[in-house]
Amino acid sequence: MSFSIDNIVLIGSLLLFVSIIAGKTGYRFGVPILVLFLGVGMLFGTDGFGLEFSSPKAAQFVGVIALNIILFSGGMDTRFSEIKPILGQGVVLATLGVLLTALISGVFIYFITQNLFGTITFTVLEALLLASVMSSTDSASVFAILGSKGLVLKERLRPLLELESGSNDPMAYLLTITFIQWIQIGEGSMWLIAGNFVMQLVIGAVLGYFLGRVAVKLINKIGLDNESLYPVLLLTVLFMVYSITNFLKGNGYLAVYVSGLVIGNSRFIHKKTSKKFMDGMAWLFQIVMFLTLGLLVNPRELLPIAGIGLAVSLFMIFVARPIAVWLCLLPFRGMSNKARHYVSWVGLRGAAPILFATYPWTAGIQDAQMIFNIVFFVTLVSLLVQGTTVPAVARWLGLAGESKPKHLLTTFDVELSDDIKSSMSEITLSVEHLAHGNRIMDMPMPENTLVVMVKRDEQYFVPTGSTELEPGDALLLISDNDTTLGETFAQLGLDDGESK
């Protein structure tokens, strides 16, 4: 099967639909949905239903667009107040941790290919290149797994893991490009490459902050007549940040993440709508990226490298990642050994390493396709072994906290600005809830909780204290904060689950 103008839309929509359904099914069984997206791509690929796709350049283009959106959205969702206490740990893990992981894994890969696997032989630089491609934890995987499971972690572990995974892809990208250049140009250029490495990091961080501040001022002052264009403007800003930074020889990925962090922690008009738009775009492009990378791989080509792939996977999970994490966190006090173990375990590989594995391929590096297949295999093992056990390991180590109830609105499509600290929820009344009387004034509620709207059948109306209620009525409640809302539920004899 090949792409054509007539069938590309149908095939694309079918792939997305199958992926979403597979993701919903996999979530019930504890399987990371990103694995299923990769699986759907492989299923429809050359070795499956015969959809021919073999262009690493096209996959790389899709991946670059997707990774930019994912990093920007992750930065916007990260609250600086939450990451400030663990900023030092996060930055060290995202830089030195990636470098140590690459060096330790590279030495191991060189040793086993020289001594244990006769059919696969890598030079020192090729081994370090392969290790560099896989050296970062994947932001898409970490954000998706922690978010979908609603996992509450103690010791500020969640913001630490999200900060690390959201900011360490640029370091892995730089290492990948550095070793590609080193292989192509030669060892004599080491100092030039090292200087370029540092320059890209500095320019990326500075431009990300500066352009993020400029973007906030632009969004607040531009005065667009159509409100729907503000999220589109934000998307445009994202790609401008990436392109300008790359043009000025900086790290575009780092600039995009930093600018997202700056914008997300600033006040700008239509912020909530824009954040939801970016979150939806991030999920869409996660699916598209995983599908595309899944289509690019041929499952039969994974069998010859399964041995080395499994060896590298286990070494990175149980040796390289833990050593790197413990060395990086050694200077920081106040973190328990259990927390360090958990950070070591949540070293998920994902789409970013697979994307970075296309760079040696498009650069014409020898054995680049074998490198791509090994990275793909290692990613699958990581997602299946680590991704499926993230919540279980947290509970086993005693680091899983009590999840806070989410007061979701389904009947009333209403939202408050992020600047408003009040909390909203809804309840559907039963006969038992009206035991104290059928008027709003009869209901036992705190004074600072109000019933602001009632839905009866298909009609919505604003009530007063004397409004008579009926079983089946849906009530929209607003309180000062989540604590007061919880008191309201308790006085009404409701569990939080009943309010949703």
Side-chain angles (χ1 to χ4, degrees):
M1 185 185 298
S2 60
F3 292 102
S4 71
I5 298 298
D6 294 331
N7 63 23
I8 189 170
V9 174
L10 175 61
I11 293 172
S13 59
L14 180 61
L15 285 170
L16 284 173
F17 178 77
V18 172
S19 299
I20 293 170
I21 298 302
K24 179 179 176 64
T25 304
Y27 175 76
R28 294 181 178 179
F29 296 97
V31 179
I33 58 177
L34 302 181
V35 174
L36 297 172
F37 297 157
L38 283 174
V40 171
M42 295 169 66
L43 178 65
F44 279 80
T46 304
D47 289 352
F49 293 155
L51 187 61
E52 296 179 7
F53 181 75
S54 57
S55 173
K57 287 187 177 181
Q60 189 178 104
F61 175 78
V62 171
V64 167
I65 298 297
L67 188 57
N68 271 288
I69 293 174
I70 292 167
L71 288 174
F72 188 80
S73 178
M76 284 193 68
D77 289 337
T78 302
R79 295 182 180 179
F80 188 74
S81 59
E82 293 181 352
I83 66 170
K84 187 176 180 180
I86 47 84
L87 188 60
Q89 295 96 311
V91 171
V92 171
L93 285 172
T95 52
L96 181 59
V98 172
L99 179 61
L100 289 173
T101 301
L103 293 177
I104 296 169
S105 301
V107 171
F108 175 76
I109 292 169
Y110 175 73
F111 174 80
I112 62 173
T113 57
Q114 293 291 325
N115 297 281
L116 300 180
F117 295 92
T119 58
I120 302 175
T121 303
F122 288 132
T123 65
V124 173
L125 289 181
E126 289 171 342
L128 289 171
L129 172 59
L130 172 56
S132 297
V133 168
M134 302 180 294
S135 58
S136 66
T137 58
D138 185 65
S139 55
S141 303
V142 173
F143 291 157
I145 291 174
L146 291 181
S148 64
K149 300 298 181 183
L151 189 62
V152 176
L153 298 172
K154 300 177 182 178
E155 299 193 37
R156 296 191 180 96
L157 284 175
R158 181 169 181 140
L160 175 60
L161 292 169
E162 291 183 343
L163 173 62
E164 180 202 7
S165 65
S167 59
N168 65 7
D169 287 339
M171 184 68 175
Y173 169 76
L174 278 179
L175 287 174
T176 300
I177 298 302
T178 297
F179 282 110
I180 289 175
Q181 293 175 344
W182 200 347
I183 291 171
Q184 290 178 327
I185 300 174
E187 298 184 15
S189 60
M190 182 180 69
W191 291 110
L192 178 63
I193 293 174
N196 182 60
F197 181 92
V198 175
M199 182 183 71
Q200 285 200 43
L201 283 177
V202 173
I203 293 176
V206 171
L207 282 180
Y209 177 81
F210 173 74
L211 294 175
R213 301 293 294 180
V214 171
V216 172
K217 292 184 178 180
L218 173 66
I219 294 170
N220 285 329
K221 291 185 178 295
I222 195 169
L224 296 175
D225 294 330
N226 190 336
E227 297 178 359
S228 303
L229 290 177
Y230 280 96
V232 179
L233 175 62
L234 196 61
L235 190 65
T236 305
V237 166
L238 182 169
F239 292 117
M240 288 180 65
V241 169
Y242 177 78
S243 302
I244 291 172
T245 305
N246 278 350
F247 179 76
L248 296 176
K249 308 302 181 183
N251 188 314
Y253 292 122
L254 179 60
V256 164
Y257 178 77
V258 172
S259 66
L261 189 63
V262 170
I263 294 172
N265 285 273
S266 303
R267 291 185 178 183
F268 60 92
I269 58 177
H270 304 297
K271 181 177 180 179
K272 198 154 192 172
T273 302
S274 298
K275 289 181 68 175
K276 292 191 73 172
F277 172 83
M278 290 306 307
D279 187 52
M281 290 293 292
W283 268 108
L284 171 62
F285 276 90
Q286 281 184 60
I287 297 174
V288 171
M289 178 166 60
F290 274 79
L291 282 174
T292 303
L293 296 173
L295 286 170
L296 189 60
V297 73
N298 296 319
R300 68 173 181 272
E301 295 177 357
L302 298 180
L303 294 177
I305 55 88
I308 185 174
L310 186 60
V312 172
S313 300
L314 296 177
F315 182 83
M316 293 190 74
I317 292 173
F318 293 105
V319 181
R321 167 73 177 177
I323 291 176
V325 168
W326 279 77
L327 288 176
C328 287
L329 297 180
L330 200 58
F332 299 98
R333 306 299 178 186
M335 179 178 286
S336 68
N337 288 335
K338 289 183 178 181
R340 297 170 196 262
H341 283 306
Y342 191 70
V343 173
S344 300
W345 186 251
V346 189
L348 296 164
R349 315 299 154 186
I354 303 175
L355 167 62
F356 296 155
T358 64
Y359 283 89
W361 198 347
T362 57
I365 299 297
Q366 184 178 358
D367 296 325
Q369 192 165 356
M370 183 181 297
I371 289 175
F372 178 86
N373 289 332
I374 292 173
V375 172
F376 194 95
F377 188 93
V378 170
T379 297
L380 286 178
V381 173
S382 175
L383 287 173
L384 288 172
V385 173
Q386 295 168 284
T388 56
T389 56
V390 166
V393 172
R395 290 190 291 268
W396 179 62
L397 292 172
L399 296 171
E402 294 184 6
S403 60
K404 297 180 180 179
K406 293 183 178 181
H407 308 299
L408 303 178
L409 300 180
T410 56
T411 303
F412 300 92
D413 189 10
V414 181
E415 289 188 350
L416 294 175
S417 167
D418 287 337
D419 296 330
I420 300 175
K421 303 306 179 184
S422 299
S423 297
M424 290 195 302
S425 187
E426 63 183 45
I427 61 173
T428 300
L429 297 177
S430 65
V431 176
E432 290 77 14
H433 299 146
L434 301 176
H436 298 278
N438 64 347
R439 297 177 302 173
I440 290 180
M441 66 176 63
D442 297 327
M443 300 183 70
M445 290 191 297
E447 291 184 0
N448 45 358
T449 295
L450 300 175
V451 179
V452 295
M453 189 169 291
V454 177
K455 177 180 181 291
R456 181 174 299 162
D457 298 326
E458 298 302 319
Q459 294 184 337
Y460 293 82
F461 58 91
V462 177
T464 65
S466 59
T467 298
E468 294 186 356
L469 302 173
E470 300 176 1
D473 285 351
L475 275 56
L476 176 63
L477 306 178
I478 185 168
S479 294
D480 287 344
N481 48 51
D482 285 337
T483 302
T484 306
L485 206 53
E487 294 173 2
T488 303
F489 296 146
Q491 292 187 28
L492 292 174
L494 287 166
D495 293 328
D496 288 318
E498 293 180 68
S499 67
K500 297 176 184 178

